[in-house]
Amino acid sequence: MKRVHVTADPIHAGWLLSVLEGAGIDCILRNGYLGGAIGELPLNECWPEIWVIDDADEVQARRLIAEAETPRSPREDWVCSGCGETVEGEFAACWQCGRAHDEAPAGG
Ligand SMILES: [Zn+2]
């Protein structure tokens, strides 16, 4: 058993757990549902912890968590100068009218 992640948010912890399970890693959530006991323990001992059953899965689990917590689209959305459509940052050209991101507005 290896602890691979701690988070203050039980919902986030449950989501990460499902990510690992989806990758075929046996893992459990600890401390997630202490309920009324929380006020009597040091705060960080109440936080949900994700543990992998098999120590050999630790590296992959940490990598999956890191990937899951990295925003999928690091580039910011942009507004097309041709049609005004908001386009996701990963696209270099407008999906609506085909205008490239850095193309100057027409008729300026
Ligand atoms: Zn456009």
Side-chain angles (χ1 to χ4, degrees):
M1 292 264 289
K2 287 276 189 185
R3 189 179 69 183
V4 294
H5 197 71
V6 180
T7 174
D9 181 354
I11 296 171
H12 187 65
W15 174 70
L16 288 173
L17 199 74
S18 70
V19 169
L20 297 184
E21 287 174 340
I25 295 175
D26 287 328
C27 51
I28 60 167
L29 198 60
R30 297 180 79 176
N31 287 0
Y33 303 99
L34 284 178
I38 281 178
E40 298 172 18
L41 292 168
L43 189 63
N44 61 2
E45 301 218 348
C46 308
W47 287 4
E49 300 176 342
I50 295 170
W51 291 67
V52 294
I53 306 298
D54 186 342
D55 290 9
D57 286 332
E58 180 188 4
V59 172
Q60 192 191 356
R62 287 182 181 276
R63 187 170 56 79
L64 285 166
I65 289 169
E67 285 177 3
E69 297 203 319
T70 302
R72 185 168 288 234
S73 176
R75 293 166 157 206
E76 290 184 15
D77 292 356
W78 51 279
V79 176
C80 176
S81 58
C83 67
E85 188 64 46
T86 300
V87 184
E88 289 181 40
E90 63 196 271
F91 296 109
C94 175
W95 56 268
Q96 176 98 311
C97 70
R99 185 180 291 269
H101 183 188
D102 50 5
E103 195 172 325

